[in-house]
Amino acid sequence: MGKRVTALAMPPSSRLGLVSAFSAFLIWGLLPLFWKQLSHVAAIDVIAYRIIWTTIFAGVVLAATRQLHSVANLFTDRRRFAFTLAASFFISLNGLTFVWGVTHDRVSEVSLGYYINPLLNALLGAVVLKERTTPMQTIAIAIALLGVSVPLYAVGALPWVSLVLAMCFGMYGLIRKLSPAEALPGLCGEMLLATPIALGWLALRPPAPFDAFINQGIGTSALLILSGIATAVPLVLFAFGARRIPYTTVGLLMYTTPTLQLLLAVAVYDEPFTWTQGLTFGLIWLAIALYAWGSRSRSPVE
C-alpha cells in the first residue's frame, strides 16, 4: 500500500513547489485586472511586447545571477531545443488568446478554458505519461467533454477561446513537466525564440513602427514594460512548482485561476452569464467534483 502524501509530510522542495504553483495560479486569476488596462492596444501587439519585455527581464535576472550559460545550453542540445521550441509555440498562442479574450470582454470564456484545463491535464497524463485514471475520473472527463459541447448544440458554435486556452496551456504544462530545463532559463529560451517574430511584427506593422509604445503615452509604455514582469513571474513560479509536485496536484491547484477570473467577469466587468454558460459551467464543476472524488481512491507513492 502506498502512503498518501499530505502537505505537512512533503519534503521541503515539494512544499516550496506547492507554494510556487499556487502563487502562479493566484496571480493568473487576478491578471485580467492588469490586461484590461491595455484594452486600447491590439492583442497581437500586446503579446509581441510581452514576449520582448519578458525576454529582457529574464535575461537581466539570469545575467545578474550568472546563469546565461543555461540558456545557451538549450540551443546546443537537440532534445532541449525541441522542448524549448514547442513550449515557445504553445505559450505564445496561449498568451495571445488570453489577452484577446480579456480585452474583448470574454473573461468568462477565459475562465471556462482554465476550468477545462485540469481535466485535459488528466487526459494528457493518462495518454502521454501513462498515468492511471480511476473509473470515476474517466467519467469526469466524459462529463467535461459533454459540458464543452453544450454551446455547440445551443448556438452552433464551440467556445473556441476556452478550448484554445485549455489545449495550449495543457500542452505547455506537459512540455515543462518533461523538459530538463530549469524554470527561468527555460522561459528565457522560449521567449528568445519568439522575439525575432515579435520584433518583426512591431517594426513592420502600420501605421508606424512600435506605435503603441512610442505614440500612446507614457502610461501605455509603462504597462507594456510591466507586461514582461507580469508574464515572467507566474510562468517561472509555475514551471518551478510543476517539476516538484505531482501533475494531479498541479491540476487541482489550477482551479484557483478560473474561479477568480469568473468572479471578475461577473462581479467586476458585468459580463452576461447565460443559461448556456450556466449549464456548461455546471457540468464542468460536476466533472471537477467527480474527478477530485476519484482521486481520493488512489494512494500513489509520488
Side-chain angles (χ1 to χ4, degrees):
M1 287 290 293
K3 191 193 295 184
R4 187 174 296 278
V5 179
T6 66
L8 292 177
M10 284 182 175
S13 61
S14 295
R15 286 200 296 271
L16 186 57
L18 189 69
V19 172
S20 296
F22 177 74
S23 299
F25 295 130
L26 186 65
I27 293 170
W28 277 321
L30 296 173
L31 270 181
L33 295 168
F34 177 82
W35 299 120
K36 277 285 187 181
Q37 308 309 308
L38 286 166
S39 296
H40 59 290
V41 180
I44 193 169
D45 289 358
V46 173
I47 192 63
Y49 284 111
R50 284 181 71 181
I51 289 168
I52 293 167
W53 287 108
T54 301
T55 304
I56 293 171
F57 173 73
V60 168
V61 174
L62 288 170
T65 55
R66 300 182 180 180
Q67 296 183 70
L68 280 177
H69 65 280
S70 299
V71 180
N73 291 340
L74 299 177
F75 297 90
T76 56
D77 181 272
R78 186 173 299 178
R79 180 169 176 268
R80 290 172 185 262
F81 179 76
F83 274 118
T84 305
L85 182 62
S88 177
F89 170 78
F90 283 114
I91 200 59
S92 297
L93 182 56
N94 176 272
L96 176 60
T97 307
F98 180 89
V99 171
W100 188 92
V102 169
T103 56
H104 285 76
D105 300 321
R106 297 171 81 164
V107 178
S108 59
E109 284 190 45
V110 169
S111 170
L112 177 60
Y114 289 112
Y115 271 119
I116 297 170
N117 186 241
L119 298 168
L120 178 61
N121 285 353
L123 184 62
L124 289 172
V127 174
V128 180
L129 301 178
K130 308 302 180 185
E131 296 177 350
R132 289 184 299 168
T133 57
T134 67
M136 188 68 75
Q137 290 172 325
T138 303
I139 292 171
I141 293 171
I143 291 174
L145 292 174
L146 177 63
V148 173
S149 69
V150 167
L152 178 62
Y153 174 78
V155 297
L158 282 170
W160 68 267
V161 171
S162 307
L163 294 177
V164 171
L165 285 172
M167 183 272 293
C168 287
F169 201 74
M171 291 301 299
Y172 179 75
L174 179 65
I175 291 165
R176 292 305 270 136
K177 179 75 174 175
L178 297 173
S179 174
E182 287 294 334
L184 189 58
L187 175 63
C188 188
E190 294 158 15
M191 296 296 104
L192 194 60
L193 283 174
T195 293
I197 299 173
L199 283 171
W201 168 260
L202 293 172
L204 299 175
R205 188 183 189 280
F210 303 97
D211 180 58
F213 190 78
I214 297 174
N215 300 322
Q216 296 194 31
I218 191 170
T220 297
S221 301
L223 287 171
L224 291 172
I225 292 172
L226 288 174
S227 71
I229 299 175
T231 299
V233 170
L235 280 174
V236 170
L237 289 170
F238 170 77
F240 180 88
R243 296 187 64 189
R244 288 162 176 83
I245 58 177
Y247 207 47
T248 50
T249 304
V250 173
L252 291 173
L253 290 174
M254 196 172 288
Y255 298 129
T256 306
T257 294
T259 300
L260 289 171
Q261 291 171 346
L262 182 60
L263 288 172
L264 288 175
V266 176
V268 178
Y269 299 124
D270 296 319
E271 291 188 15
F273 196 70
T274 65
W275 73 266
T276 304
Q277 290 173 305
L279 182 55
T280 298
F281 272 95
L283 288 169
I284 294 295
W285 285 327
L286 174 61
I288 290 167
L290 290 175
Y291 185 84
W293 181 262
S295 300
R296 292 181 62 189
S297 63
R298 300 178 61 184
S299 55
V301 178
E302 306 285 10

